[in-house]
Amino acid sequence: MSRYGLTNFDEHPVHQITEAFGAVTATDKHWNDGHYICLCDTEGKVQMIGLVRLYTNNDVIDGFVCIRHEGKQHNIRLSRRLRSDINTNGIGPLRIEIVEPMETVRLVLEENEYGIECDLVCRSTAVPYEDQPTYTRQGGRFVASRAVYEVVGTVEGTVTVGGQTYTATPDKWFFFRNHSWGSMPGRGGPREHGAPSQHRQERTQALRQWVLFRMPDHGGFYQTMDRNEGQRLQQEGAILFEDSQVEVTEIEHDLAFYPDGPKRVKSGTFALTDENGTKREYEFEDLGWVYCQGGGYFGGFNDGLGQGVWRGEYHVEGEVWDASHPQKIVEEDGTEREFDHAWAESFTLLRSGGDVGLAHLEAVVFE
């Protein structure tokens, strides 16, 4: 038996290193692997994000569910020792089950002290979009790597929040998820001891978009980075069908933000032209946003250390925020707070021709 302990995954003949699946080649504490699921309904009653992520070298697994409902964001964050049960992708009442790889996953949050629950089956309706793996070096020093793929589809099941239970149906509820893995600083605890970069990066205002959407007969993904003066720094994307995809070669957009500042997108349009010359045009309007901070991003745990940090054999925490303002939250004790970053997951109703769909639409302005 491996000194790391055998797992159920070791039964499959797909090993790529001379160790059991409980080990990875990287020694970096920032190495992590996990599923991130977003979902919402066309009536705008519920917007939700959930995650379960493994930090193999820290022996930690953590996760969260954040639900927006009637202008409030309900958060629960959980953590435990990974190798107390490495075969189960779950922490206490929270788990993600891979029912059928690339086809069906199940997100479950059982009854808990924070009053939110869900049991949701997410079925893919299009082929996944596989991003190019990225490797980042600064001054010759390796600092990060990431592989990821994106999936869209329909949702069935129930969500309980604010004392109400909603039934998700595949005609009105859609999901957007990604599975990512790699060495990603910001997860697994703060970076320590390494020298700061010698090369100061020029800060230029830029708009980053990361959009994953589903319409009745197709899905799609695109991401862009545009400087304030209109220069396109980066773009990629594809239209996703049940058994194929076509590359997006041109991306146009026109966005309107809430008047309190360019942090939350309110409405807009985008158009995608594919490699065959077909142009698809979409209009969208905001249904609500969920702050990633509630799931532990950006040091969002109570101890300020962020995701992937050892907090004991089992740990759970959470709260409810008034998140009705497009830039700040009001905590349960009445304290107003504005995060020092612009990040939130926006959910939008999407229209194209006579069809209605949904989109997970990040539109973040970097100052």
Side-chain angles (χ1 to χ4, degrees), residues 72-73 75 291 293-294 319-323 329-330 337 339:
K72 293 186 177 181
Q73 181 170 321
N75 305 317
Y291 289 102
Q293 191 103 5
E319 64 279 305
V320 180
W321 297 332
D322 180 337
I329 63 165
V330 180
R337 184 155 62 106
F339 300 125

Side-chain angles (χ1 to χ4, degrees), residues 19 24 26 30 36 38 59 96 113 121 128 146 150 163 166 171 209 213-214 223 278 281 284 314 328-329 352 354:
E19 290 286 358
V24 293
H30 302 295
Y36 187 86
C38 305
D59 202 15
I96 291 178
E113 62 191 282
V121 175
R146 185 172 186 253
E150 271 71 60
Y166 297 93
D171 58 329
Q209 291 186 80
F213 66 90
R214 183 181 183 271
Q223 62 175 324
T278 301
E281 298 179 323
F284 69 84
Y314 178 73
K328 59 188 177 184
I329 63 165
S352 183

Side-chain angles (χ1 to χ4, degrees), residues 257-258 261-265 326-327 338-342 346 363-365:
F257 290 84
Y258 282 93
K263 286 195 173 183
R264 300 283 81 79
V265 68
Q327 288 198 180
E338 185 171 343
F339 300 125
D340 58 2
H341 58 84
S346 291
V364 178
V365 175

Side-chain angles (χ1 to χ4, degrees), residues 206-227:
L207 169 66
R208 176 188 184 268
Q209 291 186 80
W210 192 100
V211 181
L212 192 57
F213 66 90
R214 183 181 183 271
M215 299 297 292
D217 63 345
H218 68 279
F221 168 76
Y222 74 86
Q223 62 175 324
T224 61
M225 181 76 79
D226 296 320
R227 281 188 172 164

Side-chain angles (χ1 to χ4, degrees), residues 327-364:
Q327 288 198 180
K328 59 188 177 184
I329 63 165
V330 180
E331 298 182 356
E332 291 172 288
D333 64 0
T335 302
E336 288 191 357
R337 184 155 62 106
E338 185 171 343
F339 300 125
D340 58 2
H341 58 84
W343 232 275
E345 309 289 25
S346 291
F347 295 89
T348 62
L349 186 69
L350 204 59
R351 292 188 176 90
S352 183
D355 292 332
V356 175
L358 291 166
H360 163 264
L361 196 151
E362 283 184 3
V364 178

